[in-house]
Amino acid sequence: MTTRSAAPQGRRIWVDGRLVPWADATVHVLSHSHQRGSLIFDYMSVHETPRGPAVFRLDDHVRRFLASAELVGLPLRRDAAAIRAAVLDAVRANPGATAVKLSGYLASVEVDVVPVDDHVTLAVAAYDPVQDVLRPKGVEARPFLPVRVWVEKERRNRRPDIMPPQAKVAANYASPMAAKWAARRRGYGEVLLVDDQGFVAEGPTTNVFLVDREGTLRTPPEEKVLLGVTRASILELARAEGRKVVEEKFRPEAFRDAAEAFITGTSAGVWAIASVDDHPLPEAPGPVSRALGERFARVVSGRDPAFEHWLAYVGEARD
Ligand SMILES: Cc1ncc(COP(=O)(O)O)c(C=O)c1O
């Protein structure tokens, strides 16, 4: 496997207002973002709908990106309207894109942790992760089959006293990367992280839910997790369907008494958990996971009129 892959034909990345060829959207090896992990980002999905391509919950992703800049202290100097317009420009310039990655970074070569040049470059990549990134590496997309999960209990990854888990900043992903890599080597497909007191928090790029024997959905509270857009959507859809939902702390052992469990994220949607720490869940996916997963898939593809307001139609959107 090579470290570089062929540049996808025709893809252009929006960088500070210019659309540059994919292969030219690079930064220096000594850039601050690269050396200090200071890059902030957000990741959202684009779907084909009966009204053309649409970005799912664009305004919520832009708000979260602005919040990440604020939490890290990066002087982004762009407002929500400018970022929104950049996303729509990038999607229009890249037909067939299924995802958008927004990045804000200090491209400057720096010496100290506090940069001399604090210009934050804004970059928007609209692309297809499978077609443009995985396939050129010889990797095919795999369906999200029920996954075996390990809970990393020794390193307490979610520490609000260091960098808040609500910030999507590159540095926050180093410890989860180590945990997931170790779990992968031991045959698990995904890892869950705990907070400073040992309560379940979230996955490296997902939030987590369990469904207890009474049918109540439980998910860890906002203080200890990234505010996942899929998490918020599932909470709202579940409440709209009259399901009981609670946001509260629970220990890893709680999965042993659960009826079903799933993780959520922009790429995975609703992804059933097969087992936690080698204890199988009775059903994967169970009926609640399946129903919410199917509803979510209808919503993102513009086939659920009650939640159409979550879609920004690229061809019609104001910018
Ligand atoms: C730490 C973390 N938790 C949860 C999520 C899920 O968030 P979303 O549903 O917005 O994709 C992500 C997304 O990448 C993440 O990085």
Side-chain angles (χ1 to χ4, degrees), residues 105-306:
Y105 54 95
L106 296 159
S108 168
V109 171
E110 295 289 338
V111 175
D112 195 3
V113 284
V114 173
V116 175
D117 175 356
D118 70 359
H119 172 73
V120 177
T121 303
L122 179 67
V124 190
Y127 61 113
D128 179 343
V130 174
Q131 187 82 19
D132 299 333
V133 181
L134 293 180
R135 234 169 247 162
K137 296 182 198 296
V139 179
E140 272 308 317
R142 274 177 298 183
F144 287 97
L145 299 175
V147 63
R148 295 180 63 226
V149 167
W150 177 256
V151 183
E152 166 62 54
K153 300 156 206 83
E154 267 146 46
R155 287 201 199 164
R156 301 189 161 183
N157 272 274
R158 285 298 175 244
R159 294 274 305 273
D161 55 330
I162 306 175
M163 177 56 80
Q166 292 79 30
K168 253 179 118 51
V169 57
N172 263 3
Y173 290 80
S175 192
M177 176 197 74
K180 181 161 175 169
W181 219 339
R184 275 274 173 85
R185 285 192 284 265
R186 292 167 48 215
Y188 298 95
E190 188 51 279
V191 73
L192 288 176
L193 313 168
V194 297
D195 71 9
D196 45 336
Q197 295 157 346
F199 291 103
V200 173
E202 60 183 336
T205 58
T206 53
N207 295 108
V208 63
F209 289 75
L210 66 76
V211 183
D212 69 19
R213 307 254 171 175
E214 282 73 52
T216 301
L217 282 132
R218 299 186 181 275
T219 193
E222 291 194 348
E223 306 84 78
K224 299 292 172 71
V225 299
L226 182 88
L227 302 178
V229 171
T230 320
R231 174 186 182 277
S233 306
I234 291 300
L235 286 172
E236 201 170 326
L237 291 172
R239 287 187 178 116
E241 291 180 358
R243 299 181 193 275
K244 193 155 177 257
V245 173
V246 289
E247 295 174 64
E248 65 177 24
K249 300 192 275 193
F250 55 83
R251 302 251 172 221
E253 297 73 38
F255 288 108
R256 292 187 199 172
D257 299 320
E260 42 185 303
F262 58 87
I263 52 185
T264 61
T266 292
S267 302
V270 173
W271 187 10
I273 296 179
S275 65
V276 177
D277 293 351
D278 300 324
H279 295 278
L281 273 300
E283 281 189 279
V288 177
S289 319
R290 187 177 291 120
L292 285 169
E294 287 171 1
R295 180 94 196 260
F296 185 70
R298 282 200 301 279
V299 168
V300 296
S301 56
R303 290 176 290 125
D304 191 325

